[in-house]
Amino acid sequence: MRSAAGPVPDTRSAVDGVWTVRKELPIWLAVVCGLGLLVFLLSGQFFYLNLLTVALLFGGLAVSWNIIGGYGGQFSIAHSVFFAIGAYTAGNLFKHFDISPWISLIPAMVLSAGIAALVSWPVFRLKGPFFAIATMALTEVAIAFAMHFDLITGGASGLTIPYRAGLENMIFQARWAYAVLFLGYLAAALAVSVIVYRSRLGFYLQAVRDNENAAEASGINVLATKLKGMAISAALTGAGGVFYMMYVRIVEPAGLLSLFDVGVKIALIALIGGIGTIYGPLLGALLLIPLDYWLRAFVGSAVPGGNLMVLALILILGALFMKRGIFGALKQALDAVWRRQ
Amino acid sequence: MEQLLNVITLGLLLGGIYALVSVGLNLIFGVIRIINFAQGEFLMLGMYGAYLGYSVLALDPYVTVLIVVPALILLGVVVYWLVMRPLQNEPMMQVFASFGLLLLLQNIVLAITGGLSFSINTPLSQVALSLGPVQFSVSRLIVLVAAALAAAALGVFLARSTVGKAIRAVAQDRRAAQLMGINVQTTYMWTFGIGTGLAGLAGVLLSPIYTLSPHIGGNFVMAAFAVVVLGGLGSVAGAFVGGFIVGLTEAFAGYYIDPELKHAVIFIVFIAVLLVRPSGLFGKVGAEEVGLREQS
Amino acid sequence: MKKFIRNGVAAAILAGSISSPAFTQEDTIKIGAITPNTGGMAILGNDLARWYEMAAEEANANGGVAGHKIQIIRGDATNAQEAIAAVDKLTTVDEVDIVTGTIASFISQAASEATLNYNKMYWETNALAVGLTERGLPNFLRTGPSAAYYALQAADVSTSKLAADMGKDVGALKVWVEHEDSNYGSSIAAELDRLIKEKGSSIQTAGHKASSVDLTDAILRAKDFDPDVYIIAGYVVDTNLLLRTMREQQFKPRATILIGLGDSKETSDAVGQDYLQGVLIVTYPRHHINQSYAPGSDAANDAFRAKYGEDPVGNSGFNGYVGMQVLFKALEATGGDTSPEALIAAAKEMDLPKGTFPTGYGVKFDDNMQNTRADAVTYQWQGDITTVVWPPEAAPEGVEMKDTARP
């Protein structure tokens, strides 16, 4: 029998030493402050500041993805769709109705979550790799629609919004402002991630990930759990799309909905950082994005594609030698040191 | 009526292309359950292999099958042993590594060619046949025949040979197979190798039809994943029939609806079928349940 | 990461209060070139960068520009956020004075806005989207043609020349435009649609994905329409597939026009020169062109071959070469001042007749800072070369348009 409020005894919280949201707070604060300090230090170094800015954005996206992909184990590669919904919502509202993107955040998140729940509902019947492939199909459908319905998306030429700097428009001339903006986004995503992780929903999601049948047998409504996780994850991703729109001010379907540049990339960042952990995805973004951009800027010109070859080798070696992601590798190393002492 | 015949022919020939591309993917995805993003790049390597034989050794592309396919089987075996095997308990990381491979292979070819696109233009590739109002090229017909032959050969191989039986056993139940004394690792290695070799075969046979670019693999692999899941995992007949379903859907949608929307139609049909029959048209019911969990 | 110290100057630059004459501290003018070096556009990006570099070397050999040495620094970008990163890197790490490019319009869009943040000039030579010059960006101009000029040329050759050759009234002419569905093909198709309708001919446009595995459906639909002129605005790979499918399906429009490409080995290897005979190509002017229309074009192409040991990939790089020459002329006028205000003012003053540059371009910018004297031309496959056939004054001595029908 399925019931939403299944009587699962929250045994973990009974065990002493279990982390609660309150105990998690100081770490969250430390991470956000640390990144804030980094933004401050780099604020005159525009190239590196920009690396950090993009890394913070993708960090936020990967943290959002991790809620359903990591905690829930549902390997979606369609998050670019929710990202795009956010971008198109904010772009259109700003362009045609002069609505501040700060306000657009609300419809963007609601729309992303709604569409995510709607399309995920049937797709959640599929499991494991099948689910991933089905989400890939969703991306393809979304690209075709985005190309076709050019009233909303601007078609292939893309949607552009005018440059009108100002806090209310979320468009800034100062470069550090975007870094701060994306840091705020990341901090919010992390906070939600922490709360979900330490909540009943978080435990349900992990139970579903670890063994769906057992989870169902113990009274968890599997579908409702997955849908809730997906909706939260998609809403946060949609918010990321809003910020991204105001940052680049031009989005076109091929780039915005790119399977590899957005959909798969978000998932890979979470994976290499440490899937299912709170800070792993952030760690992945902070390493992978700067690496990608740095190689592009300084290695790329020797041979065509040279930078991506180096990146690819690092990815493969990373996968081979850090099977549980960077976070897992770090934890292992720390544990080893601990034990020796 | 005339156009209807044309569209049906087009759909069938296109189905042949998809079926051929999907046969190898079906092995890798159906048996080892790796989402191998690099499958399209193996196909791309097959194409460039054929081009190399054609431009340097002046070989007919169809002759290069004899060199390219064994070379790719070898590549597949090496890739499995070095990259996929160490990650067998981390299926997500296998996806990650296959993405790394995709990026690596694409950019190696980009660096070597500088991005210049190549074409193979043999006298045979220019021959078009006419059957009443219907026209089609010989190279596409060859692909269709080859797809049928490859599927049949693979079916026989899986049914009769020892390795084939081992592959089927491992696909059904890895632990039981191991208990029966089957070396799972070797079996997986050969599966991956054969799957890669089949991608190479597809690449060679498709090379007279397309203009080669380092990124061409991705054009096929997306549809191939749809075909494999649609047809049913691990079912050779499924991949074959799935190919024709996708091919015909694309042809009809492209001609009668709008070429710009045909990809959307394919994938909507794909999702719809999957919802009705999650195990695919020819898959064993419940096959889709044995997802990533079975391995972890 | 050399310096971590917060730099007060940065804020001043952001405020736009410092303009560039300060650069005279050294003698080199650094130009950052946003040219993709990865992905599908790598080959075009590399070609464009080579032409820029050749233009710079020639200028340096002639004593520099306004007494300064020119240095080109490449930056790789294949999408909008990489474009911003590339501009950041070029302006802050390499400290370039001017940024130039670009192969793709959406890269240009993001890169030029990012460049504005540094109050530097974005000297666009190549990107095609019409909208780029309509944004009113104070640091932006385009020396080459926009997509509109491609469309203008294709529409002109169709209605002024082909219709007459076919003995058809312009009002009875039927045109089909088959375009790839990204920004590049779509914008040309939209412009063509407008222009051809203006002339009173009937036109149908249809899009396809450049990555399509099959385009027979597109050919069958076009065949049903039975156009007199069949225009393809695509990339190399899909254009080749369309041409091969045309041959298979025995689709024989009276005239076939390829936009922007189709004159290189990449196309002739795919379908063979025999099949290409008579095919028209609307593109940037480069070679096999009347030397009084495009003075010095042969010499420049010979120099390129001598320098790099191979032919240019296509014609777009040559358009960039000329764009760079226009920039040097503007820099001479400003005395080496690279600030957007000075460069834009100098560019506005320029009034050079057509035929000044090796592409046959002149220079006269409109209010949006689009060069109005940069025209595309029409080539035709004749024997084993492509040669300019339209407009008549651009065709080499004694060359005329031959039969355009497919064999």
Side-chain angles (χ1 to χ4, degrees), chain A residues 147 155-157, chain B residues 260, chain C residues 147 179-192 205 207-208 233:
Chain A
M147 287 282 194
S157 333
Chain B
E260 273 186 303
Chain C
H179 65 92
E180 61 83 32
D181 65 2
S182 85
N183 187 18
Y184 166 71
S186 311
S187 56
I188 291 171
E191 213 32 46
L192 262 171
T205 64
H208 64 262

Side-chain angles (χ1 to χ4, degrees), chain B residues 3 6-7 10 14 17-18 51 107 110 113-117 119-121 125-126 128 130 135-137 140 207-213 215-216 219-220 250-251 253-260 262-263, chain C residues 37-43 46 178-179 181 186 206-218 220-221 223-224 236-237 240-241 244-245 247-250 265-273 313:
Chain B
Q3 292 301 14
N6 258 314
V7 173
L10 158 65
L14 195 53
I17 293 177
Y18 286 140
Y51 180 78
N107 285 288
L110 177 67
T113 63
L116 200 64
S117 48
S119 300
I120 293 176
N121 193 25
S125 72
Q126 300 184 21
S130 288
Q135 281 107 14
F136 52 89
S137 71
R140 288 191 181 211
S207 62
I209 304 178
Y210 294 103
T211 296
L212 279 53
S213 74
H215 305 93
I216 193 167
N219 302 359
F220 297 95
E250 177 168 341
Y255 183 76
Y256 291 106
I257 302 176
D258 185 342
E260 273 186 303
K262 68 183 177 188
H263 289 88
Chain C
N37 199 35
T38 48
M41 291 177 293
I43 188 162
N46 191 37
E178 182 66 46
H179 65 92
D181 65 2
S186 311
H208 64 262
K209 245 182 138 150
S211 63
S212 288
V213 167
D214 180 83
L215 291 169
T216 314
D217 45 5
L220 288 176
R221 287 168 76 118
K223 214 173 161 183
D224 292 347
V236 172
V237 172
N240 287 354
L241 187 58
R244 282 178 154 172
T245 312
R247 181 166 62 191
E248 264 164 51
Q249 295 298 327
Q250 298 178 20
K265 245 173 82 71
E266 287 182 300
T267 303
S268 62
D269 278 356
V271 286
Q273 282 172 2
V313 174

Side-chain angles (χ1 to χ4, degrees), chain C residues 94-239:
Chain C
D94 300 312
E95 298 179 325
V96 300
D97 306 292
I98 299 167
V99 184
T100 187
T102 329
I103 294 295
S105 299
F106 55 89
I107 296 176
S108 171
Q109 167 118 18
S112 51
E113 286 190 10
T115 310
L116 182 62
N117 274 335
Y118 296 102
N119 195 29
K120 297 218 153 106
M121 184 72 200
Y122 197 89
W123 191 274
E124 182 60 70
T125 64
N126 277 54
L128 285 167
V130 178
L132 285 175
T133 45
E134 289 167 359
R135 294 172 296 166
L137 230 55
N139 68 331
F140 188 86
L141 59 70
R142 172 164 47 202
T143 58
S146 72
Y149 291 73
Y150 270 7
L152 203 62
Q153 174 65 207
D156 181 50
V157 76
S158 302
T159 54
S160 314
K161 169 80 176 153
L162 293 172
D165 286 2
M166 292 171 193
K168 276 208 162 185
D169 193 46
V170 173
L173 193 74
K174 286 164 78 179
V175 181
W176 180 284
V177 183
E178 182 66 46
H179 65 92
E180 61 83 32
D181 65 2
S182 85
N183 187 18
Y184 166 71
S186 311
S187 56
I188 291 171
E191 213 32 46
L192 262 171
D193 191 58
R194 191 178 65 78
L195 289 167
I196 299 270
K197 274 182 184 148
E198 228 166 57
K199 299 268 185 188
S201 312
S202 57
I203 178 167
Q204 181 82 40
T205 64
H208 64 262
K209 245 182 138 150
S211 63
S212 288
V213 167
D214 180 83
L215 291 169
T216 314
D217 45 5
I219 295 292
L220 288 176
R221 287 168 76 118
K223 214 173 161 183
D224 292 347
F225 182 75
D226 189 25
D228 302 302
V229 182
Y230 183 66
I231 302 178
I232 302 175
Y235 295 119
V236 172
V237 172
D238 53 320
T239 301

Side-chain angles (χ1 to χ4, degrees), chain C residues 309-344:
Chain C
E310 56 189 30
D311 273 324
V313 174
N315 293 7
S316 61
F318 192 47
N319 173 65
Y321 170 78
V322 167
M324 205 46 57
Q325 290 185 335
V326 179
L327 170 60
F328 297 159
K329 274 210 167 25
L331 281 170
E332 294 282 1
T334 64
D337 185 346
T338 60
S339 70
E341 300 77 32
L343 278 172
I344 291 281

